[in-house]
Amino acid sequence: EIVLTQSPGTLSVSPGERATLSCRASQSVRSNYLAWYQQKPGQAPRLLISGASSRATGIPDRFSGSGSGTDFTLTISRLEPEDFAVYYCQQYGASYSFGQGTKLEIK
Amino acid sequence: QVQLVQSGGGVVQPGRSLRLSCAASGFSFSTYAMHWVRQAPGKGLEWLSLISYDGINKYYADSVRGRFTISRDNSRNTVHLQMNTLRAEDTAVYYCASPAGGSYYSGFDYWGQGALVTVSS
């Protein structure tokens, strides 16, 4: 099983600033089959990025994904008030697994 | 538009069974693999199970293998999760989810609204 470790656990950033979230895999993720999700309280997760760097339909371009192998990053370039949420990475190259999440909070 | 509408959650005693359902619309359900994912209170996401488009291939997380069974009815555009021998640690919100393009190798782009399952005596 591929274990995904996200860091930091909580990230405090001011609106308008940049946020950088990390996801590290215990082994290489096949074909960069890595997704990022946003989840707000009481809601289902929302797909942001798949294939490590491809934005899902309707996702603003301030969200970008990068990385390969075992190290992946989600960057939110200019934080809007609605971006404060919990973010999860997921690998789908060898079965399926999620990271434990990063909570992005307002500083 | 794509919709996944879930039903079947509730409170159940330890050791008993419960079946969750997820009715799909707005896409070609019979050509899509489907997943179940759960989230314990205050915790992260846990993938549970996958069923192929035709219902032949089924895969499970170790935590539920042998207790949970995924199935689908393509004539009714519905996927089910039969949960047996429930434990307190199965208490969670359960989501059905469809992968983008229906493939095994895709992120999950549509999710049901979630169904709360509480296992308690």
Side-chain angles (χ1 to χ4, degrees), chain A residues 37-106:
Chain A
Y37 298 85
Q38 176 193 70
Q39 188 179 33
K40 297 180 180 178
Q43 296 184 15
R46 174 193 182 195
L47 178 66
L48 301 175
I49 301 285
S50 61
S53 61
S54 298
R55 273 188 302 276
T57 303
I59 301 304
D61 61 7
R62 65 180 182 272
F63 291 90
S64 63
S66 63
S68 64
T70 60
D71 289 296
F72 299 89
T73 300
L74 174 69
T75 301
I76 312 171
S77 59
R78 298 168 306 279
L79 281 164
E80 299 286 345
E82 62 267 26
D83 299 335
F84 293 93
V86 178
Y87 291 82
Y88 294 95
C89 59
Q90 177 210 27
Q91 68 81 24
Y92 48 93
S95 190
Y96 304 85
S97 54
F98 290 90
Q100 84 279 16
T102 290
K103 181 179 181 180
L104 179 58
E105 65 177 25
I106 300 175

Side-chain angles (χ1 to χ4, degrees), chain B residues 1-84:
Chain B
Q1 75 279 22
V2 173
Q3 280 196 304
L4 298 174
V5 179
Q6 297 182 227
S7 58
V11 180
V12 61
Q13 293 179 327
R16 303 298 291 264
S17 299
L18 199 64
R19 188 173 89 150
L20 302 180
S21 297
C22 171
S25 60
F27 65 102
S28 184
F29 178 79
S30 63
T31 67
Y32 273 57
M34 291 292 295
H35 297 268
W36 286 95
V37 175
R38 71 182 177 186
Q39 186 170 36
K43 303 298 184 183
L45 301 167
E46 179 186 14
W47 175 81
L48 296 180
S49 186
L50 160 67
I51 188 167
S52 61
Y53 72 98
D54 54 9
I56 292 176
N57 298 304
K58 304 175 184 182
Y59 306 90
Y60 299 95
D62 289 345
S63 58
V64 303
R65 186 177 293 113
R67 298 189 301 124
F68 290 13
T69 302
I70 192 170
S71 63
R72 66 189 297 156
D73 183 346
N74 283 347
S75 69
R76 298 176 185 268
N77 285 3
T78 304
V79 61
H80 305 284
L81 187 67
Q82 176 68 41
M83 304 183 293
N84 297 333

